[in-house]
Amino acid sequence: MYLQYFFLFSILLAASDALVQDFCVADLSLPPGPAGYPCKKPSKVTADDFAYHGLAAAGNTTNIISAAVTPAFDGQFPGVNGLGVSIARLDLAAGGVIPLHTHPGGSEILVVIEGTICAGFISSFDNVVYLKTLYKGDIMVFPQGLLHFQINSGKTPALGFVSFGTQNPGLQITDFALFKNDFPTELVAKTTFLDLAQIKKLKGVLGGTN
Amino acid sequence: MYLQYFFLFSILLAASDALVQDFCVADLSLPPGPAGYPCKKPSKVTADDFAYHGLAAAGNTTNIISAAVTPAFDGQFPGVNGLGVSIARLDLAAGGVIPLHTHPGGSEILVVIEGTICAGFISSFDNVVYLKTLYKGDIMVFPQGLLHFQINSGKTPALGFVSFGTQNPGLQITDFALFKNDFPTELVAKTTFLDLAQIKKLKGVLGGTN
Amino acid sequence: MYLQYFFLFSILLAASDALVQDFCVADLSLPPGPAGYPCKKPSKVTADDFAYHGLAAAGNTTNIISAAVTPAFDGQFPGVNGLGVSIARLDLAAGGVIPLHTHPGGSEILVVIEGTICAGFISSFDNVVYLKTLYKGDIMVFPQGLLHFQINSGKTPALGFVSFGTQNPGLQITDFALFKNDFPTELVAKTTFLDLAQIKKLKGVLGGTN
Amino acid sequence: MYLQYFFLFSILLAASDALVQDFCVADLSLPPGPAGYPCKKPSKVTADDFAYHGLAAAGNTTNIISAAVTPAFDGQFPGVNGLGVSIARLDLAAGGVIPLHTHPGGSEILVVIEGTICAGFISSFDNVVYLKTLYKGDIMVFPQGLLHFQINSGKTPALGFVSFGTQNPGLQITDFALFKNDFPTELVAKTTFLDLAQIKKLKGVLGGTN
Amino acid sequence: MYLQYFFLFSILLAASDALVQDFCVADLSLPPGPAGYPCKKPSKVTADDFAYHGLAAAGNTTNIISAAVTPAFDGQFPGVNGLGVSIARLDLAAGGVIPLHTHPGGSEILVVIEGTICAGFISSFDNVVYLKTLYKGDIMVFPQGLLHFQINSGKTPALGFVSFGTQNPGLQITDFALFKNDFPTELVAKTTFLDLAQIKKLKGVLGGTN
Amino acid sequence: MYLQYFFLFSILLAASDALVQDFCVADLSLPPGPAGYPCKKPSKVTADDFAYHGLAAAGNTTNIISAAVTPAFDGQFPGVNGLGVSIARLDLAAGGVIPLHTHPGGSEILVVIEGTICAGFISSFDNVVYLKTLYKGDIMVFPQGLLHFQINSGKTPALGFVSFGTQNPGLQITDFALFKNDFPTELVAKTTFLDLAQIKKLKGVLGGTN
């Protein structure tokens, strides 16, 4: 019962000290709302809810993009629920690429830990491409919702962390949105001007249909 | 001087009645900040600042997409500054298409006024394509930052209005971001997996270089 | 169970791609919170959740105000939950009036589709009345929470759409707040300076008591 | 120059310690934006900017409503700029009334310091009137944007403080919006259903024209 | 069932009038989320939900600080849920002190009702101490999250009310955070540079361990 | 002139494509407002505005805390202005400590890059100390405004990055707020219960007066 421990809150300061909602660790078993998940009962919260080990190991980069994104968003790391922050790990093998994508929900800061990363984003205002080559310790910011990418431009693996001003920024990879689903080829063509052959080829690679 | 009329505000209610900032019509001659433009002096504001005639005429659709978007965002309609709303007019000639695009800054509601529009958006969660054919009077909502499009699926011109929960939603057309600038062809290829020939072809059509 | 599909989210990008809460279609069977309704399970969401047909037909204007407002807010159109936008249809027969009212929750943009509408709002700062006559295609913005109205000032029916930067702007019609309830006549008089006879007359018309 | 002291901020913690914008005292000589006024230079800020003596004296209640509202909003008390709080003093002589009004910008909490106050607000949902008689030490909350009022229901003067979750809630008194300006009598009648005679009478009392 | 009364909302204005969520009185029996508690059903809400008597009596000041804080936050006063305001009562006996503390969630305005209060806060920017002595009717604002305190600097009891721009500002008393728990003495020493003897002494007073 | 390039925005999509404020790089020469700094003209913005090299080198840890915090907040890294994110570098020599502190403006995520860090925060609700020892690749979240600290608990230097969901979280180090200024010793004693000798000792170490 939530009720019982809220009565505690009304005790005067001199006797105790007390107020709710310093934090709101997600209870993932309940349906979320627009602002996030309902909170786990404070009495069941422990220090473990605020730490996460899942970014310590490198992501598996033996894949088509030679890269991996390992998120610590609300779904993986319930401690960030309601706190307006999250983070993810970027592993880029030699030749690795995080393809063109957007985060609908928030801006991103990348910090390069190892290797060399060429990163860029494109403004919507005038389609300017802002490109930078980043070395160990460099940071770059990507404004909310704009198309951007990261490429390993060195010869060794690259590692970075990307953080966000939201508990879940979302991630829409343009190629996946176009070619990794049942988006009818004809509609893709009409709305992107890509050739049918090109579309079919990429649908083949990514497992799209229609 | 702003100072002088603010002294008025401190007069008690019984004598007058008065508080600032019912609205904040944009002064476009001053630099904006993250929350919008500085406000025009209230004494210079008239009813004309809150109305706009620029959406009354159809946009010119004799172009490559047989379509036009005419915005009434803060830059065109300074009255919406700070109010969290804006609107645009959509004209789609027969065969017209608003190509795949996103609005980084807000969600959109479309209302169809004339004709038939096939519209859709793609979730980032699992790349599901949500498709609907809309008729006169129908509405559809497109969540913030997700790729979406509108196609005239009828044989006559179509007209719609799209409204937003922000004074300036931004607009990033995927094709323009990729092909209508100096985004190096090789980088486009690396970050989209498109063929070089396809990229060069569309850069040719849209005026891109590199 | 929500839990099960959230485990999916932690799969690395290379294997899948996935993040929550591109959208949050309202589950109206659960109690809302301050930010809106809990979300329907993504697996049960279809394209139909994002479109709405309820504004396609004209509202019934054979009533005391010769006008009708047909809303597509969160209660009617659950797809807008959490997205910060909503819309409503305005039908004004000849002589029709949307009486003086406020939307406590957000600003409004009106677009005139047919006919001629005289609209206005009143600033709180200095009680200035901002009045405009609007024709087909014209738009007007009404700042949050301020008293405003719309009148059919032509001889034919008028049609408009009003959109909002919130999923539910609320609607408080001054006359209904004063005369269509059990607000004691004496208190209405004390807080408005209206004559008792006037109050009783309007209570009679609108069905108020006390 | 703002520039010079911002260079200080980049000094490492060990040497100094430093970050901007704990607060943003309003510089009322510059034009505000949607989020408030530009900040006074920190070096010119003193403790006096955060305190205000203007609510210490009773407002003058020898007026038509036998009441006075003395605000400490951003225009009077620049220290609250950007902080999301403000306050006002309510003086109600015997028989005093704060007439029906709204605050477009925020919710209100009233605390009664002296006397007895009958207060109420009206929901927009179903026009329910929520009425309470409040005694010394009682508090009441009035949700954002809804019509509400306060009446001295005792025989002695009443005193209260009302606080808001915004630096400037605005204040729209229904009577002043209708009758204390040049709102054409005919339009008032059309949008409120009040009789012409009633409107003219109140325009006479409050100084309205047209 | 929430469902049933939401169907009502879709009735056209002419027939009824109706929209949700003028307010959202907390249902404390359900788990809160990041934006607050789920709403009590409107049909069960009464005027009593919006008023609170709990601040009318003085808090008990016969304690170590000769002072008491009596909150009316969401846990005590469910009517403020979702409305972005709350309030608390401050009682300071002669010699009473509200020790150094922060409110992580919002800024505060103090109004002095009786007595004399010396109050201050410390900026993070440059550790400036902003100090004021406040008399009856004076107000002072304390920016969000900064260390501040209040001391009865007169010879008689002092009374004040503090209001906040949030439904629950939180309250972290520095002494309690350091000495009224099992924070290991050695860690307190390392992170504050206080002497071990000092730490142990205060842990003894406040009941801390370790 | 800002005016001139805004005229461009009103050009229809077919001809161009264009909307403001994808980003708002801070113009640090102008006074900030509550939402941040005015924006640099888009025409003067380059890719360099979005990248920052200042975190690449280790901070100088030859100081009293054997540690350094190097921020990339809006004052140092103007590209984050308005984007709701920022980051800082943490260097902890052997024995290094980031003393107890708060960030009034936002929550924090720490990622450990090298070494071992013992970190903790204290809830305000019930003064619980949440403690974790973190190794390379581990992350921990610290809720907004709560007291927290980081200690190098290994024998080699530790390196971490902390990111925030705001362009400027602020930083208030408790020791500096108490002892590194002219906060009168007597007031410090009264509001913290620390012994006078202890206060004077730490004022001596940190350079405080009074």
Side-chain angles (χ1 to χ4, degrees):
Chain A
M1 276 298 291
Y2 267 81
L3 201 56
Q4 45 210 84
Y5 57 81
F6 282 116
F7 282 143
L8 292 174
F9 303 166
S10 48
I11 298 176
L12 298 197
L13 172 75
S16 178
D17 55 283
L19 308 165
V20 246
Q21 239 165 324
D22 285 335
F23 43 75
C24 176
V25 176
D27 180 342
L28 297 182
S29 70
L30 293 173
Y37 287 88
C39 316
K40 203 170 157 176
K41 281 191 194 183
S43 59
K44 296 203 171 168
V45 169
T46 71
D48 290 338
D49 287 302
F50 301 106
Y52 184 58
H53 187 63
L55 306 193
N60 183 353
T61 59
T62 52
N63 54 46
I64 191 177
I65 57 173
S66 297
V69 176
T70 312
F73 300 165
D74 52 7
Q76 299 83 39
F77 183 22
V80 297
N81 188 50
L83 296 184
V85 285
S86 59
I87 194 167
R89 175 186 177 123
L90 246 56
D91 288 286
L92 293 147
V97 174
I98 309 293
L100 218 64
H101 65 283
T102 62
H103 303 288
S107 296
E108 165 185 338
I109 287 190
L110 162 69
V111 54
V112 178
I113 304 301
E114 281 170 24
T116 307
I117 292 178
C118 169
F121 72 87
I122 305 155
S123 79
S124 77
F125 168 57
D126 48 6
N127 303 309
V128 171
V129 183
Y130 294 94
L131 273 180
K132 287 292 292 184
T133 298
L134 305 166
Y135 303 94
K136 188 176 175 173
D138 285 348
I139 62 175
M140 183 166 177
V141 66
F142 305 90
Q144 172 168 346
L146 296 184
L147 282 164
H148 62 288
F149 62 87
Q150 285 103 3
I151 295 177
N152 185 340
S153 59
K155 299 191 171 168
T156 55
L159 169 64
F161 286 92
V162 285
S163 48
F164 301 90
T166 164
Q167 71 190 59
N168 188 338
L171 166 57
Q172 183 160 56
I173 298 176
T174 308
D175 262 31
F176 289 11
L178 291 177
F179 309 122
K180 202 183 169 176
N181 50 21
D182 60 356
F183 197 173
T185 297
E186 198 188 355
L187 281 183
V188 178
K190 261 196 190 162
T191 60
T192 63
F193 308 124
L194 294 175
D195 294 337
L196 292 175
Q198 175 74 84
I199 296 166
K200 286 175 182 164
K201 180 177 168 186
L202 285 169
K203 277 188 173 269
V205 172
L206 291 166
T209 57
N210 263 3
Chain B
M1 276 298 293
Y2 267 81
L3 201 56
Q4 44 211 84
Y5 58 79
F6 282 116
F7 282 143
L8 292 173
F9 304 165
S10 47
I11 298 175
L12 299 196
L13 173 76
S16 179
D17 56 284
L19 308 165
V20 247
Q21 239 164 323
D22 285 335
F23 44 74
C24 176
V25 177
D27 181 341
L28 297 182
S29 71
L30 293 173
Y37 287 88
C39 317
K40 204 170 156 176
K41 281 191 195 182
S43 60
K44 295 204 171 167
V45 169
T46 72
D48 289 339
D49 287 302
F50 300 105
Y52 184 58
H53 186 63
L55 306 193
N60 183 353
T61 60
T62 53
N63 54 46
I64 190 177
I65 56 173
S66 296
V69 176
T70 313
F73 301 164
D74 53 7
Q76 297 84 38
F77 182 21
V80 297
N81 189 50
L83 297 184
V85 285
S86 60
I87 195 167
R89 174 187 178 121
L90 245 55
D91 288 287
L92 294 146
V97 174
I98 308 294
L100 219 63
H101 65 283
T102 63
H103 302 289
S107 296
E108 166 185 337
I109 286 191
L110 163 69
V111 55
V112 178
I113 305 301
E114 281 170 24
T116 307
I117 292 178
C118 168
F121 72 88
I122 304 156
S123 77
S124 78
F125 169 57
D126 48 7
N127 302 309
V128 171
V129 183
Y130 294 95
L131 273 181
K132 287 292 291 183
T133 298
L134 306 166
Y135 303 93
K136 188 175 175 174
D138 286 349
I139 62 174
M140 183 166 177
V141 67
F142 305 90
Q144 171 167 345
L146 296 184
L147 283 165
H148 62 288
F149 63 87
Q150 286 104 3
I151 296 176
N152 185 340
S153 57
K155 298 190 170 171
T156 55
L159 169 64
F161 286 91
V162 285
S163 49
F164 301 91
T166 164
Q167 72 190 60
N168 187 339
L171 167 57
Q172 183 160 54
I173 298 176
T174 309
D175 261 32
F176 289 11
L178 292 176
F179 309 122
K180 202 186 168 171
N181 50 22
D182 60 357
F183 197 173
T185 298
E186 199 188 354
L187 280 183
V188 178
K190 263 195 189 161
T191 61
T192 64
F193 308 125
L194 294 175
D195 294 336
L196 291 175
Q198 174 74 85
I199 297 166
K200 284 176 183 164
K201 181 176 168 187
L202 285 169
K203 277 187 173 270
V205 172
L206 291 166
T209 56
N210 263 4
Chain C
M1 277 296 292
Y2 267 82
L3 200 56
Q4 43 209 87
Y5 58 81
F6 282 116
F7 282 143
L8 292 174
F9 303 164
S10 48
I11 298 176
L12 298 197
L13 173 75
S16 178
D17 56 282
L19 307 166
V20 247
Q21 240 164 325
D22 285 334
F23 44 75
C24 176
V25 175
D27 180 343
L28 297 182
S29 71
L30 293 173
Y37 287 88
C39 316
K40 203 169 156 175
K41 281 192 195 183
S43 59
K44 296 203 172 168
V45 169
T46 71
D48 289 339
D49 287 302
F50 300 105
Y52 185 58
H53 187 64
L55 307 192
N60 183 354
T61 59
T62 52
N63 54 46
I64 191 179
I65 57 174
S66 298
V69 176
T70 313
F73 300 164
D74 52 7
Q76 298 83 39
F77 183 21
V80 297
N81 188 50
L83 297 184
V85 285
S86 59
I87 194 167
R89 175 186 177 121
L90 246 56
D91 289 287
L92 293 147
V97 174
I98 309 293
L100 218 63
H101 65 282
T102 62
H103 303 289
S107 296
E108 165 185 338
I109 287 191
L110 163 69
V111 54
V112 178
I113 304 301
E114 282 170 24
T116 307
I117 293 178
C118 169
F121 72 88
I122 305 155
S123 78
S124 78
F125 169 56
D126 48 7
N127 303 309
V128 171
V129 184
Y130 294 95
L131 273 181
K132 287 293 292 184
T133 298
L134 305 166
Y135 304 94
K136 186 176 175 173
D138 285 349
I139 62 175
M140 182 166 179
V141 66
F142 305 90
Q144 172 167 347
L146 296 184
L147 283 164
H148 62 288
F149 63 87
Q150 286 103 4
I151 297 176
N152 185 340
S153 58
K155 299 191 169 168
T156 54
L159 169 64
F161 287 91
V162 285
S163 48
F164 301 89
T166 165
Q167 72 190 59
N168 187 338
L171 166 57
Q172 183 160 55
I173 298 176
T174 309
D175 261 32
F176 289 11
L178 293 176
F179 309 122
K180 202 185 168 171
N181 50 21
D182 60 357
F183 197 174
T185 297
E186 199 188 354
L187 280 184
V188 178
K190 262 197 191 161
T191 61
T192 63
F193 307 125
L194 294 175
D195 294 337
L196 290 176
Q198 175 74 86
I199 296 167
K200 286 177 181 162
K201 181 176 168 188
L202 285 170
K203 277 188 174 271
V205 173
L206 291 167
T209 57
N210 263 4
Chain D
M1 278 296 293
Y2 268 80
L3 201 56
Q4 45 210 83
Y5 57 80
F6 282 116
F7 282 143
L8 292 173
F9 303 165
S10 48
I11 298 176
L12 299 198
L13 173 75
S16 178
D17 56 283
L19 308 166
V20 245
Q21 240 166 320
D22 285 335
F23 43 75
C24 176
V25 176
D27 181 342
L28 296 181
S29 71
L30 292 173
Y37 287 88
C39 317
K40 204 169 156 176
K41 280 191 195 183
S43 59
K44 296 204 171 166
V45 169
T46 71
D48 289 339
D49 286 303
F50 300 105
Y52 185 58
H53 186 64
L55 307 193
N60 182 354
T61 59
T62 53
N63 54 46
I64 191 178
I65 56 172
S66 297
V69 176
T70 314
F73 301 165
D74 53 7
Q76 297 84 38
F77 182 21
V80 297
N81 188 51
L83 296 183
V85 285
S86 59
I87 195 168
R89 176 187 175 121
L90 245 56
D91 288 286
L92 294 146
V97 174
I98 309 293
L100 219 63
H101 65 283
T102 62
H103 302 288
S107 297
E108 166 185 337
I109 287 190
L110 163 69
V111 55
V112 178
I113 304 302
E114 282 170 24
T116 307
I117 292 178
C118 168
F121 72 88
I122 305 155
S123 78
S124 78
F125 169 57
D126 48 7
N127 302 310
V128 171
V129 184
Y130 294 94
L131 274 180
K132 289 291 293 182
T133 298
L134 305 166
Y135 303 93
K136 187 176 175 174
D138 285 348
I139 62 174
M140 183 166 178
V141 66
F142 305 90
Q144 171 167 347
L146 296 184
L147 283 164
H148 62 289
F149 63 88
Q150 286 104 4
I151 296 176
N152 185 341
S153 58
K155 298 191 171 170
T156 55
L159 169 65
F161 286 92
V162 285
S163 48
F164 302 90
T166 164
Q167 72 190 59
N168 187 338
L171 167 57
Q172 183 160 55
I173 298 176
T174 309
D175 261 32
F176 289 11
L178 292 176
F179 309 122
K180 202 185 170 173
N181 50 22
D182 59 357
F183 197 174
T185 298
E186 199 188 354
L187 280 183
V188 178
K190 263 196 188 159
T191 60
T192 62
F193 307 125
L194 294 174
D195 294 336
L196 292 175
Q198 174 74 85
I199 297 166
K200 284 177 182 162
K201 181 175 168 187
L202 285 169
K203 276 188 174 270
V205 173
L206 290 166
T209 57
N210 263 2
Chain E
M1 277 296 293
Y2 266 81
L3 201 56
Q4 43 210 85
Y5 59 80
F6 282 116
F7 281 144
L8 293 173
F9 304 166
S10 48
I11 298 175
L12 298 198
L13 173 75
S16 177
D17 56 282
L19 308 166
V20 248
Q21 239 164 325
D22 285 335
F23 43 75
C24 175
V25 176
D27 180 341
L28 296 182
S29 71
L30 293 173
Y37 287 88
C39 317
K40 204 171 156 174
K41 281 192 194 182
S43 59
K44 296 203 171 167
V45 169
T46 72
D48 289 338
D49 287 303
F50 300 106
Y52 185 59
H53 187 64
L55 306 193
N60 182 354
T61 60
T62 53
N63 54 46
I64 191 178
I65 56 173
S66 297
V69 176
T70 313
F73 300 164
D74 52 7
Q76 298 83 38
F77 182 21
V80 296
N81 188 50
L83 297 183
V85 285
S86 59
I87 194 167
R89 175 187 176 119
L90 245 57
D91 288 286
L92 294 146
V97 174
I98 309 294
L100 218 64
H101 65 283
T102 62
H103 303 289
S107 296
E108 165 184 339
I109 286 190
L110 162 69
V111 55
V112 178
I113 304 301
E114 282 170 24
T116 307
I117 292 178
C118 168
F121 72 87
I122 305 155
S123 78
S124 77
F125 169 57
D126 49 6
N127 302 309
V128 171
V129 183
Y130 294 95
L131 273 180
K132 288 291 293 184
T133 298
L134 306 166
Y135 304 94
K136 187 176 176 174
D138 285 349
I139 62 174
M140 183 166 177
V141 66
F142 305 89
Q144 171 167 347
L146 296 184
L147 283 164
H148 62 288
F149 62 87
Q150 286 103 3
I151 296 176
N152 185 341
S153 57
K155 298 190 171 171
T156 56
L159 168 64
F161 286 93
V162 285
S163 48
F164 301 90
T166 165
Q167 72 191 59
N168 187 339
L171 167 57
Q172 184 160 55
I173 298 176
T174 308
D175 261 32
F176 290 10
L178 292 176
F179 308 122
K180 202 185 170 173
N181 50 22
D182 60 356
F183 197 173
T185 298
E186 199 188 354
L187 281 183
V188 177
K190 262 196 189 161
T191 61
T192 63
F193 308 124
L194 294 174
D195 294 337
L196 291 175
Q198 175 74 85
I199 297 166
K200 285 175 181 163
K201 181 177 168 186
L202 285 169
K203 277 188 174 268
V205 172
L206 290 166
T209 57
N210 264 1
Chain F
M1 276 297 293
Y2 267 80
L3 202 55
Q4 43 210 86
Y5 58 81
F6 282 116
F7 283 143
L8 292 173
F9 303 166
S10 48
I11 299 176
L12 299 197
L13 174 75
S16 177
D17 56 283
L19 308 165
V20 245
Q21 240 165 321
D22 285 333
F23 43 76
C24 175
V25 176
D27 180 342
L28 297 181
S29 71
L30 293 173
Y37 286 89
C39 317
K40 203 170 157 176
K41 281 191 195 182
S43 60
K44 295 203 171 167
V45 169
T46 72
D48 289 339
D49 287 301
F50 300 105
Y52 185 58
H53 187 63
L55 306 193
N60 183 354
T61 59
T62 52
N63 54 48
I64 192 178
I65 56 172
S66 297
V69 177
T70 314
F73 301 165
D74 53 6
Q76 298 84 39
F77 183 21
V80 297
N81 188 51
L83 298 184
V85 285
S86 60
I87 194 167
R89 175 186 178 122
L90 245 57
D91 289 286
L92 294 147
V97 175
I98 309 294
L100 219 63
H101 65 283
T102 62
H103 303 288
S107 297
E108 166 185 337
I109 286 191
L110 163 69
V111 54
V112 178
I113 304 301
E114 281 170 24
T116 307
I117 292 178
C118 168
F121 72 87
I122 305 155
S123 78
S124 77
F125 168 57
D126 48 7
N127 302 308
V128 171
V129 183
Y130 294 94
L131 273 180
K132 288 291 292 183
T133 298
L134 305 166
Y135 303 94
K136 188 175 175 175
D138 286 348
I139 62 175
M140 183 166 177
V141 66
F142 305 90
Q144 172 167 346
L146 297 184
L147 282 164
H148 62 288
F149 62 87
Q150 285 103 4
I151 296 176
N152 185 340
S153 57
K155 298 191 170 169
T156 55
L159 169 64
F161 286 92
V162 285
S163 48
F164 302 90
T166 164
Q167 72 190 61
N168 187 337
L171 166 57
Q172 183 160 55
I173 298 176
T174 309
D175 262 32
F176 289 10
L178 292 177
F179 309 122
K180 201 184 170 174
N181 50 21
D182 60 356
F183 197 173
T185 297
E186 200 189 353
L187 280 183
V188 178
K190 263 196 189 162
T191 60
T192 63
F193 307 124
L194 294 174
D195 294 337
L196 291 176
Q198 174 75 86
I199 296 167
K200 284 176 182 163
K201 181 177 167 186
L202 285 169
K203 276 186 174 271
V205 172
L206 291 167
T209 56
N210 264 2

